[in-house]
Amino acid sequence: MTIMATCPVSRAPADAPPVPAHVPPELVLDTRFASGVVPNDLAEPYRPADVLRDPAFPRIHYYPWPTSGNQHGAWVVTRYEDIRRVYEDIDLFSTEGVAQFQALAGETFPSIPLGIDAPDHGKYRKFLNPWFTPVAMQDMEPRIREVIGPMIDEFAGKGEVDVAYDFGRVFPVKVFLDLMGFPFSMFDQFLEWEWAILHNPDIAAKAEAVRGILAYLRGFIAEKQANPDETLGSYIANGAIDGVPLTPDEQIGMTWFLWLGGLDTVASTVSQMFRRLGMDPALQERIRTDKAVIPTAVEEFLRVQPLVNSGRKVKRDFTWHGVDIKAGDWVTVYNSSGNFDEAQFACPHAFDPDRKANRHFTLSGGPHLCLGSHLARRELRVLLDMWFDRIPSFRIKPGTDTTMTPGLLSIRNLPLVWDVG
């Protein structure tokens, strides 16, 4: 009996998009339930992906629907070691074209630094890194506290807040807008554009949003060139590498990519984090009474909430797990599975705020590890510290629909309540 005879996942339906001729039909499987697009109301919303590590499930399969910001399917790996290879083997896997939404509007500039391979990738990371180091985050922490504190104070005495929409959606964006030098007056328009680009399936709507934000960003760059200041946006607009001024494509490539990545990743993490906390009074008590655990607890929140399943383009033909992969194919990694791989994490669905050596892939891996990883961690640590000072315990409002999408979409509304006085 072949492994496919006992595969616990169904083949893709007849109305799925067509696949390349070299893809074996039996490997075209319907794993949409693990790709971050299918909602559920489970206490452990990423648990459906566990079946992808079943011994009878193939080590690599083909997902025919658009993924990784492309309009075509991709090979998928689901085990921790295979995911690590995709992130780290830069001789075989390229980030060229990753998150290239700008192509929908006819643009040809790359997303920088994610869409650039070595060796040029290194020079762009070196240029941007000073703004995102742990030391830079230490300097930035007072401003993060200035944003978070008054926002919590505004509702702490009311005994209720929609923590997803009215708080988590807002505070990380405020921090990011400050960092870049974007005006807060653009908040709603930015989120409208970003929602269309990342979450609206209509290609025309995506392209229109891309054109809108790129026109704005080019105007923003010109304004920062005319009136330089101390923001990251100005640093890019007036930047140079090795004494050579950045080209217009480099300026827009960096500004665009930071804008795209800076708006909803932390917001989605906050929503999922408070959903879990609202369901677990004991976890709330642990963090409230022992704040020294916050750094490792944040890492565990990140591990159990892998928002993005990343993609890479294959550079040359090769065979992997008995499957022939062709140059130009795409491979997507299901962090939604790899972060719970029993071969890497003991009791992976047990939330352990003390978990050590927590080498998850929520913030990607290899040389393209998330540029803003230290900022995300700092925001979440400060949030937990300040929240439990003001709101010691809370619960999800009775009757709330806690259905969520285990990915970037997360949960849009999550009303919490607590006792006041």
Side-chain angles (χ1 to χ4, degrees):
M1 180 180 291
T2 66
I3 193 170
M4 293 310 301
T6 58
C7 179
V9 175
S10 300
R11 294 190 187 184
D15 63 354
V19 304
H22 63 278
V23 176
E26 67 272 15
L27 289 179
V28 184
L29 303 178
D30 189 350
T31 54
R32 285 176 288 185
F33 62 87
S35 67
V37 298
V38 178
N40 68 60
D41 195 21
L42 300 172
E44 295 288 339
Y46 291 87
R47 190 174 281 277
D50 286 357
V51 70
L52 306 184
R53 300 183 307 280
D54 186 293
F57 188 81
R59 291 292 292 253
I60 187 166
H61 72 279
Y62 198 87
Y63 180 90
W65 294 275
T67 185
S68 301
N70 294 304
Q71 299 309 307
H72 53 73
W75 297 104
V76 178
V77 291
T78 61
R79 271 77 161 189
Y80 187 93
E81 286 302 321
D82 293 337
I83 293 171
R84 180 161 66 181
R85 180 184 183 186
V86 173
Y87 281 136
E88 296 182 356
D89 189 348
I90 61 174
D91 292 328
L92 187 55
F93 300 103
S94 169
T95 59
E96 178 189 348
V98 172
Q100 199 80 358
F101 295 100
Q102 61 269 38
L104 298 173
E107 300 278 358
T108 58
F109 68 85
S111 297
I112 301 175
L114 177 60
I116 302 292
D117 289 332
D120 286 342
H121 171 258
K123 73 178 183 181
Y124 294 122
R125 287 291 292 234
K126 183 179 179 181
F127 174 78
L128 292 169
N129 272 342
W131 290 80
F132 296 98
T133 63
V135 172
M137 293 306 102
Q138 191 70 31
D139 294 339
M140 197 172 173
E141 181 170 320
R143 177 55 186 154
I144 297 174
R145 290 182 176 273
E146 286 176 7
V147 171
I148 292 176
M151 289 186 69
I152 300 178
D153 289 340
E154 189 174 329
F155 55 74
K158 298 177 181 179
E160 181 172 351
V161 71
D162 185 338
V163 74
Y165 194 82
D166 294 328
F167 178 71
R169 186 180 68 102
V170 180
F171 99 78
V173 179
K174 277 191 171 183
V175 172
F176 173 70
L177 297 181
D178 278 357
L179 175 66
M180 290 294 294
F182 291 133
F184 188 71
S185 61
M186 290 299 296
F187 176 85
D188 289 323
Q189 179 64 74
F190 278 179
L191 291 186
E192 182 180 322
W193 278 329
E194 191 233 14
W195 181 266
I197 292 167
L198 293 181
H199 307 308
N200 190 330
D202 182 73
I203 299 301
K206 287 180 183 287
E208 182 180 0
V210 168
R211 284 190 289 270
I213 181 56
L214 291 181
Y216 174 84
L217 293 179
R218 288 188 167 110
F220 170 82
I221 290 169
E223 194 278 327
K224 292 300 180 184
Q225 289 171 336
N227 300 287
D229 55 33
E230 299 303 312
T231 63
L232 174 54
S234 180
Y235 173 76
I236 294 169
N238 299 284
I241 295 177
D242 297 329
V244 179
L246 296 179
T247 67
D249 274 3
E250 290 172 327
Q251 293 162 355
I252 190 65
M254 290 186 203
T255 307
W256 148 259
F257 177 67
L258 290 173
W259 177 87
L260 186 68
L263 292 183
D264 73 353
T265 48
V266 175
S268 297
T269 299
V270 169
S271 300
Q272 294 192 33
M273 182 171 77
F274 275 91
R275 182 181 186 271
R276 179 176 289 273
L277 284 165
M279 294 177 173
D280 192 342
L283 179 57
Q284 292 183 44
E285 182 181 10
R286 175 69 200 285
I287 296 173
R288 179 178 66 249
T289 58
D290 181 16
K291 287 191 174 180
V293 80
I294 286 178
T296 50
V298 163
E299 218 57 45
E300 186 74 335
F301 280 120
L302 289 171
R303 181 186 71 84
V304 301
Q305 299 167 183
L307 301 179
V308 178
N309 292 324
S310 305
R312 297 290 187 266
K313 188 162 80 170
V314 176
K315 292 183 176 182
R316 55 177 169 78
D317 293 2
F318 76 112
T319 301
W320 198 9
H321 300 306
V323 177
D324 292 330
I325 315 284
K326 301 295 185 182
D329 285 357
W330 280 76
V331 174
T332 289
V333 297
Y334 272 9
N335 298 324
S336 54
S337 171
N339 274 11
F340 300 92
D341 193 329
E342 299 81 354
Q344 177 69 22
F345 303 101
C347 303
H349 282 288
F351 188 95
D352 180 3
D354 290 303
R355 190 181 294 273
K356 302 298 188 290
N358 199 343
R359 300 183 182 91
H360 57 77
F361 290 127
T362 297
L363 298 169
S364 189
H368 291 278
L369 184 70
C370 176
L371 181 67
S373 60
H374 296 302
L375 175 58
R377 289 182 169 105
R378 185 67 58 129
E379 288 177 318
L380 296 172
R381 291 172 186 175
V382 170
L383 170 56
L384 290 176
D385 179 41
M386 301 187 79
W387 180 280
F388 283 107
D389 280 346
R390 291 160 169 78
I391 304 172
S393 63
F394 56 91
R395 55 199 178 275
I396 297 174
K397 188 175 183 177
T400 294
D401 180 4
T402 54
T403 299
M404 61 159 283
T405 304
L408 264 180
L409 285 170
S410 291
I411 183 168
R412 296 281 282 173
N413 299 95
L414 185 67
L416 303 179
V417 294
W418 55 90
D419 299 327
V420 177

